[in-house]
Amino acid sequence: MPRPKLHSDEAILDAAMSVLLRSGPGAFTLNDVAVAVGMSRAALIQRFKNKDHLYFRLMERTAEQKREYFAGLPVEVGAQGLWRFLKTLVSVMGEGEGLDAHLLLAWEDVRDPTLRRMAQERNLLVRDAIAVRLPPSVDRDAVSALLQDVIAGATMQWLVERTPPLTEYVLARLRTLLGCVFPRESFD
């Protein structure tokens, strides 16, 4: 009879994500995850096979969490509902703490075909969540892609400028674009 699991997969994945964001993908080790969870490296390997499998599972879970997060948010169609959604979406960026680690994760995404596919799925989740909030009077595909581009581009620019805080910086860029798409609306 197998021994009972003392740590849930979710607890292990939470700890692994913390280790990953703290150390970056290059220094991410099963030993560090095992210590963070309070289990042996052997038990971790028994559950997740190896470091690559654990890393892929983390990225799969990120997409699952994003899907659940978007499903739990109200869908308000129109310029103001979209603005409220974008403010909620961008607010999790905070002041930019930890963004360097996320940039390293993005680097891993572009280097591995499977991770790139997962990143594309996560990007499409964001784009679709934006698109459903756009009024039918605009080209939803084009505008949602452009809004996502502004979020990504402004985030990259902020990495160099670092002022004001990241959320404020990205929202200012989005506000400008929304003013062009919806010139009769005010976004504060």
Side-chain angles (χ1 to χ4, degrees):
M1 183 164 96
R3 293 180 1 176
K5 294 179 180 179
L6 297 177
H7 305 284
S8 70
D9 285 355
E10 291 303 308
I12 294 169
L13 291 171
D14 287 342
M17 185 58 85
S18 293
V19 170
L20 182 61
L21 292 174
R22 184 178 64 244
S23 62
F28 178 67
T29 69
L30 290 177
N31 284 337
D32 290 341
V33 174
V35 168
V37 175
M39 65 190 301
S40 72
R41 183 177 184 277
L44 189 60
I45 290 170
Q46 191 173 28
R47 293 271 281 279
F48 289 96
K49 206 158 122 181
N50 58 40
K51 181 175 93 166
D52 290 339
H53 188 264
L54 177 58
Y55 188 89
F56 284 113
R57 182 62 194 111
L58 280 170
M59 295 305 108
E60 287 172 343
R61 188 176 87 151
T62 300
E64 292 164 8
Q65 289 172 325
K66 193 167 281 196
R67 195 176 297 106
E68 290 170 11
Y69 174 73
F70 290 147
L73 292 176
V75 175
E76 298 176 74
V77 176
Q80 293 305 315
L82 173 65
W83 178 236
R84 280 187 284 282
F85 170 74
L86 291 172
K87 288 192 299 187
T88 299
L89 180 67
V90 172
S91 70
V92 299
M93 294 178 166
E95 295 193 15
E97 62 282 346
L99 185 58
D100 302 5
H102 286 281
L103 189 59
L104 292 173
L105 297 181
W107 174 246
E108 291 298 314
D109 288 344
V110 300
R111 295 171 16 123
D112 181 277
T114 303
L115 292 172
R116 186 170 42 252
R117 181 190 51 74
M118 290 181 199
Q120 288 170 334
E121 179 187 350
R122 292 190 307 270
N123 284 342
L124 285 174
L125 287 170
V126 173
R127 193 172 304 152
D128 291 346
I130 293 170
V132 299
R133 289 163 172 85
L134 286 164
S137 60
V138 300
D139 182 341
R140 288 178 165 172
D141 290 337
V143 174
S144 63
L146 188 56
L147 286 165
Q148 187 180 30
D149 291 347
V150 168
I151 293 168
T155 301
M156 295 305 293
Q157 285 177 310
W158 181 86
L159 280 167
V160 175
E161 297 184 22
R162 302 272 176 156
T163 185
L166 179 59
T167 294
E168 187 180 331
Y169 188 93
V170 174
L171 286 175
R173 298 322 186 266
L174 287 169
R175 187 180 295 112
T176 300
L177 176 59
L178 288 174
C180 295
V181 176
F182 305 105
R184 292 188 176 101
E185 297 281 343
S186 173
F187 303 97
D188 54 352

